[in-house]
Structure formats: C-alpha cells, structure tokens
Amino acid sequence: MAIIPSPVDLAPLRRAPAWRTAEYICWLLPVAAYFLFPTSLSLLSQMAITGLFALSLDLILGYAGIVSLGHVAFFGVGAYAAGLLAKYGYGDPLLGLAIAGTVAAAVGYLSSFLVLRGSDLTRLMVTLGVAMMLFEAANKLTEFTGGVDGLQGVDMKPVLGLFRFDLYGKTAYWYSVAVLFVFFWLARRIVHSPFGLSLRGIKQNVIRMPAIGAPVHARLAAVYTLGAAYAGVAGALLTQTTQFVSLDVLSFPRSAAVMLMLVLGGTGSLYGALIGTLVFMTAHHFLSNLNPQYWQFWLGAVLVLVVLFARDGIMGIAQTVIKRVRGKA
Amino acid sequence: MTIIFDGLAAGMLLFLISVGLSVTLGLMNFVNLAHGAFAMLGGYVCALLLSRAGVPFLLAVPIAAAVSAAVGVVLERTLYRRLYGASHLDQVLFSIGLNFMAISAAHYFFGAQQQPFALPDFLRGQINLPGLDVGIYRLFLIGIGLILAVGLQWLVSYTKFGAQLRASVDNPRAARGLGINVGRAFTLTFALGSALAGLGGALGIEMLGLDPSFPLKYIVYFLIVVAVGGSGNIKGSLIASLMLGLVDIAGKYYLPQAGAFLIYVVMVIMLIVRPQGLFGRTAAK
C-alpha cells in the first residue's frame, strides 16, 4: 500500500514575504518621529543604529540559534574601521559603510571557525573571549585607536556629496533611518528565502537538516558572517553620525544590552529586534534620568520576568493577544 | 620565584571562587552567571561583620559562606528550579538579570566605594626566604584551597551524596526511579556552590577588592576557569585556575603592555584545542 504524503500547506510560507499594511504604517513612524520630537534627533538616530545592531544579532541568534555574548566585537570592528578610514581622508559615508561591513564580515568569517565548534557554552565563552581580546587590543594600541581617550579627528564628507552632517543631527537621523530601512528590507528578503528557511530548520533540528541535504556548517558560517557584516555597518553608522569612536563600542555591557533588547522584543522576528530596541532605549532614556541605579535594578527584574514568563518577548505577547482576539471573533 | 608564588596564590584564589561555579555549572549544568553576585554577598557579609560588628576574621568567613548558602537555597527553591530544563541562553539571561539586580542593590545599600577591609594581624606580613618573599595571607589561601580541593573531590567522587548527585545530573528520571530525591540533591548542591562562592568572595576581598561592580568585573575569569578546566571537574578547575593565575601574574610582570589580552588568548586557544576542557568528561546530554 502506497503511503500518500499528506500535502503540506505551503500557503502561509508563500504569503510570508509579502509586506502587510501594519508594516507600512510601522515604517511611517520614523517619519512621524522626526516631526514630533525634533529636539531629540540624536537619541532617535541612536535608536535606529542600535536597532540595526539588534537586527544583526537577531539574524544569528534568533534565526540560526547561535548564542553569542561577544557580538559587540563586530560592531566595534566596524566602528573603528569607519573611524580610521575617515580620519585618513576617505570620509565618504557610503564607502565607509561598505568597507566597515566588509572588514567586519571578514573578521566574522574568520572567527566563525572558532565559534561554530563545540556546544552552546563553548560558543558563549569563545564569542566573549574574542570580544574581550579585541577590547584589550583597542585599549592597548593607542597610536591607532586612541585607547581610552577614543578616536578623534573623524571627519565625514557629505552623504552622497549632497547632505552635510549638520549640528542638529537632521542628516544623521535620515541617514541612519535610511540605512536601517535598506538593511531591514534586505534582511527580510534573506529570512524568507530558502536560505533563511534552512537556517530555521537548523535551529529547530540540527540533526535532521544534514539528512535532507542542507550543509549545516556552511550555512551557519554564512549567516554568522552576514550578522557580523550587519553589526559592522551599525558600528560604522555610529562612528559616522557621532564623528567619534570610544572604547565603549567594544565593551561587554553593550553586548549584554543588545541581547536584552532582542530578548525583550522577541527573538526570531525582525520587528521584535526593532521594538525591543525602541522600548529598551526609551525606558533607558527616562529611567536613567531619574536614577541610574534604579534603571539597572528594574532592567534586571524585567529580564528575569521575561525569561520566566514571556519567553518570546513583546512580539510573542502581541501574537498571543492577536490570536485570542481573532479566536473569539 | 616570587612571581611563581604570587601566581599560585592568585590562581588559588580564583579556584576558591570559581570552584563553586564549577559545582553549579559543571555538575548541575546550569550556566549561573550570577555566581559573582553570591561571591559579592559573601564579601559584603564578611566585610561588614569585621568592620561594624567586630567579629573575628576566622569566624566571619564561615558566616559569610553560610549566608550565601542560605540565600542560594531560597533562590534555588523559588527561581532557579524553574529553569533547569531551559536552554543555556535563557539561563544566561536570567542570571545576568540577577546580576544587575544584585549590583544595584549593593549600590543602594553600601554605596559605590570600595569596602574598607583589614586582615587580622596574624595573617599579615611576609616570610622572607632567600630569593622568595612569601606573603602569609597568600600562604593561607593556598592552604585553604588545597584542603577544599581535596575535600570536594572526595565529596563528589567517594560519598553517597556525590554518587546521588552525579546520578541526578546524568539521568534525573532514572535517578528518581531509584528513589533518589533529585530535587533535594540539586538544592543541596546549589547551596554548596553558593557557599563556596561566599567563601571565595570573603577570602578574596584582600586581593580583589569589593565594590558593587564585582559580579561583572570578575565573572569572565570564573567562566574561563570552568570552561578551560572542564565542567564539573574539581581537579580540572584547580589546574586551570593555577595556570590562569600564573599566566596572569607573569604576563603582568613581563609583558605589561599586553594586559589582560594574554588570558583571553590562552582561553580561546584552550577551547579550540580541547572544547571539552582540560579534563572534561563528555557531556551526558
């Protein structure tokens, strides 16, 4: 008796890549924010940049399931690459982004050989170790990086030769948002591609994927490189918009913070990374003005609660709520 | 010679603090990044008992360990227990959250400054041998470390409790089937890990200092010890800590411009060559 495989409903997968109305509205928010909060444009640019950084971590953690405590390494590499380029006369922003992304991708590709060995715990340690090594290197190579004083003399040329970086941060804001949008769009294409689906397969069952012919190691190395490139671009953006690189771009707290944002928003969903960043940075902005110590305490408390009760973050809660509402209707 | 001795003492101190982590992380397979917070708790209890209540040092240290163990039990019963089955990432996030809370709580109660701390007279000073200056406190640390290493090795390998614990970790279901109270074994082990953290924290104030940033400042070192030494392995942790202490002190002495760089290089190389750690047994799961 022949067993007829039950047809798998592929319709949701086919529909997934299409843009939904809510998403269009979501991308109108940055435009609205520009007119609503014209005085806090630098904070808003920071949010866009950190959002891109969270997105890069989401690619490797949320979609491919590679745990990393040292993702900040690539952010820092990108930041320093862009800073040094601009300092020595190649101040074109887009060129800087491209080169910073490439350099970070190269570092990511090389370190992927170290990271992809071993268990989760080994990965956590190796990523952390690599980031700490880079931090110490940047700290000690003062003639290149300026050490603790930071890299100064970053001189940026106008974006596309047209838009100067102004004092009010208008250009910086639009530039950051535009770059974020382009890379978000690209990431969206990637996660819905067969490549992206195979990553999710690897995350769900790493033993079965080779059996259906997916080269697990090559795929993971590829996405790790991609995540590194994204982080590098985010780092370069930070350098270009602030025209300064501090040692802080390689610090462990930044690595931890971006992970928290991602977990808060929900891993494995691109909007989760952005929403997490938005909530986190808004809360940080207001609460740390009140008292930095309270902020840290509540951050810790929220983190514990999220892990215990809301494992999928804000996006997970939102999806549950939507399902319930639809189920009742 | 003095460098070797100082390295050994620093390594022994690392061992004292991180062996507790080796117990929770290695034996129970729980990535407890809040380990430093327990060590900090022990440190604060010890420092406050000494400076405010005038308790003698040799009594304050065990009290510090006991308090850490008690807090460890409470947290294990209420929070940690729920996450035994969770992924490593969840455990990492959870314990980083605890760390943040501990740091700001310490900040709130004790302020940001370093805690004043003075050793009792009989542990101060040096013994001068030809070519070797031996700090008495360092000698004391090395002694305690060796005693603990032997004691723990015996506890885990040769006692009934140790056997029950290893069984509970390797296969909780089968262990339960044999009538082992798995929950109790885990609670006791966690208490042991926290007590060791508190002990290490109390003994470490003299060399590491004590301020609210303690849990994050040194967590990397503790993790390195456990990762390099192989999880759940007392002997491995001991050798890894001693190695790390030696490399750290020697590096600071001979290559000060390299700073902490050297340690991370050693760690990454070790992890690449031996992903299971120096003496790791292959993970049961």
Side-chain angles (χ1 to χ4, degrees):
Chain A
M1 197 174 88
I3 297 166
I4 302 158
S6 65
V8 181
D9 183 17
L10 287 174
L13 284 179
R14 292 220 176 86
R15 250 184 288 130
W19 283 72
R20 296 191 201 90
T21 332
E23 294 183 57
Y24 289 117
I25 296 171
C26 193
W27 282 100
L28 287 176
L29 287 178
V31 182
Y34 175 77
F35 294 105
L36 288 175
F37 310 106
T39 50
S40 32
L41 284 182
S42 72
L43 177 68
L44 291 171
S45 322
Q46 292 278 332
M47 284 183 178
I49 294 164
T50 317
L52 184 59
F53 186 33
L55 201 62
S56 74
L57 183 62
D58 199 15
L59 283 176
I60 66 163
L61 174 67
Y63 285 91
I66 306 173
V67 289
S68 168
L69 273 181
H71 200 52
V72 80
F74 309 118
F75 187 82
V77 165
Y80 274 110
L84 288 171
L85 266 180
K87 190 178 176 183
Y88 293 109
Y90 302 95
D92 185 66
L94 294 182
L95 178 76
L97 282 191
I99 293 185
T102 316
V103 172
V107 176
Y109 181 68
L110 290 177
S111 62
S112 75
F113 293 104
L114 310 181
V115 171
L116 296 180
R117 305 164 56 107
S119 60
D120 275 3
L121 183 61
T122 318
R123 283 178 185 176
L124 286 171
M125 292 308 301
V126 171
T127 49
L128 183 66
V130 170
M132 299 301 269
M133 260 155 76
L134 287 175
F135 179 85
E136 281 298 324
N139 188 11
K140 296 290 174 187
L141 294 173
T142 34
E143 56 271 44
F144 292 107
T145 61
V148 272
D149 296 333
L151 182 71
Q152 283 164 358
V154 177
D155 185 27
M156 297 313 301
K157 296 206 167 62
V159 183
L160 299 171
L162 294 173
F163 307 103
R164 291 211 147 270
F165 283 104
D166 54 305
L167 205 57
Y168 307 102
K170 286 180 188 165
T171 310
Y173 178 66
W174 287 117
Y175 177 54
S176 314
V177 169
V179 173
L180 172 65
F181 180 74
V182 169
F183 277 90
F184 180 88
W185 177 80
L186 202 64
R188 209 175 172 288
R189 290 294 296 257
I190 292 170
V191 300
H192 290 301
S193 70
F195 171 73
L197 292 179
S198 75
L199 288 179
R200 274 190 252 183
I202 291 170
K203 188 187 174 194
Q204 280 165 12
N205 194 333
V206 73
I207 296 164
R208 190 173 287 175
M209 285 307 279
I212 61 170
V216 170
H217 198 276
R219 292 278 156 87
L220 288 181
V223 76
Y224 197 72
T225 309
L226 183 76
Y230 264 64
V233 169
L237 262 185
L238 183 70
T239 301
Q240 295 178 348
T241 53
T242 55
Q243 317 219 343
F244 178 71
V245 189
S246 76
L247 201 52
D248 174 61
V249 293
L250 279 167
S251 67
F252 175 69
R254 189 184 280 270
S255 233
V258 74
M259 196 154 197
L260 306 193
M261 294 179 210
L262 184 57
V263 170
L264 192 65
T267 51
S269 97
L270 296 176
Y271 283 100
L274 298 189
I275 291 174
T277 311
L278 202 65
V279 172
F280 182 96
M281 291 193 67
T282 314
H284 180 233
H285 181 68
F286 288 110
L287 289 179
S288 65
N289 276 353
L290 291 178
N291 183 333
Q293 290 311 315
Y294 282 144
W295 154 248
Q296 206 177 29
F297 184 84
W298 289 113
L299 176 65
V302 166
L303 199 61
V304 169
L305 290 177
V306 164
V307 172
L308 285 177
F309 301 111
R311 198 44 205 90
D312 292 321
I314 297 174
M315 284 302 274
I317 295 173
Q319 275 166 0
T320 322
V321 170
I322 290 173
K323 259 184 204 155
R324 283 221 183 127
V325 171
R326 286 206 180 141
K328 273 178 192 164
Chain B
M1 274 307 277
T2 310
I3 299 170
I4 295 180
F5 179 75
D6 281 356
L8 283 180
M12 207 45 111
L13 181 62
L14 262 181
F15 169 72
L16 283 175
I17 304 185
S18 45
V19 71
L21 185 62
S22 175
V23 168
T24 43
L25 173 62
L27 291 177
M28 296 165 65
N29 203 13
F30 191 104
V31 187
N32 184 16
L33 292 193
H35 188 74
F38 287 103
M40 180 175 75
L41 177 70
Y44 272 111
V45 169
C46 179
L48 290 179
L49 282 177
L50 281 178
S51 62
R52 306 229 173 126
V55 178
F57 182 72
L58 289 184
L59 187 62
V61 170
I63 296 180
V67 171
S68 292
V71 174
V73 168
V74 172
L75 284 177
E76 199 271 346
R77 287 269 155 170
T78 50
L79 295 173
Y80 276 89
R81 166 156 300 192
R82 297 156 175 268
L83 288 169
Y84 283 144
S87 69
H88 278 158
L89 179 66
D90 284 1
Q91 297 172 348
V92 164
L93 293 167
F94 168 78
S95 48
I96 288 184
L98 279 188
N99 258 345
F100 281 156
M101 286 159 80
I103 290 174
S104 45
H107 229 283
Y108 180 77
F109 288 115
F110 308 114
Q113 74 280 17
Q114 290 275 340
Q115 286 296 312
F117 181 76
L119 281 174
D121 288 334
F122 65 94
L123 289 172
R124 279 190 223 162
Q126 283 187 336
I127 305 171
N128 296 315
L129 299 175
L132 178 65
D133 296 332
V134 180
I136 294 181
Y137 187 66
R138 301 188 170 190
L139 204 60
F140 174 73
L141 282 183
I142 293 183
I144 293 203
L146 284 177
I147 294 171
L148 265 184
V150 173
L152 282 173
Q153 185 73 36
W154 173 77
L155 181 73
V156 173
S157 303
Y158 299 109
T159 61
K160 195 173 161 203
F161 172 72
Q164 285 187 347
L165 173 65
R166 280 177 289 142
S168 309
V169 173
D170 283 349
N171 194 334
R173 273 185 69 187
R176 214 168 272 132
L178 290 169
I180 296 172
N181 189 339
V182 175
R184 200 182 58 118
F186 272 30
T187 309
L188 282 176
T189 313
F190 197 83
L192 178 67
S194 319
L196 288 169
L199 179 73
L203 290 173
I205 313 174
E206 207 267 331
M207 285 167 80
L208 301 176
L210 183 66
D211 65 82
S213 66
F214 186 88
L216 284 182
K217 198 155 57 176
Y218 293 106
I219 190 67
V220 180
Y221 284 77
F222 311 151
L223 280 173
I224 294 175
V225 169
V226 177
V228 171
S231 42
N233 190 310
I234 312 289
K235 192 174 66 182
S237 305
L238 178 63
I239 292 173
S241 335
L242 292 182
M243 213 172 73
L244 206 67
L246 279 176
V247 170
D248 193 26
I249 298 278
K252 275 177 186 153
Y253 193 83
Y254 291 114
L255 279 172
Q257 62 274 33
F261 193 75
L262 216 53
I263 287 194
Y264 303 123
V265 175
V266 170
M267 172 185 87
V268 170
I269 293 175
M270 282 302 308
L271 284 173
I272 290 161
V273 180
R274 295 290 306 265
Q276 295 297 340
L278 271 180
F279 301 93
R281 43 178 205 166
T282 36
K285 290 174 206 172

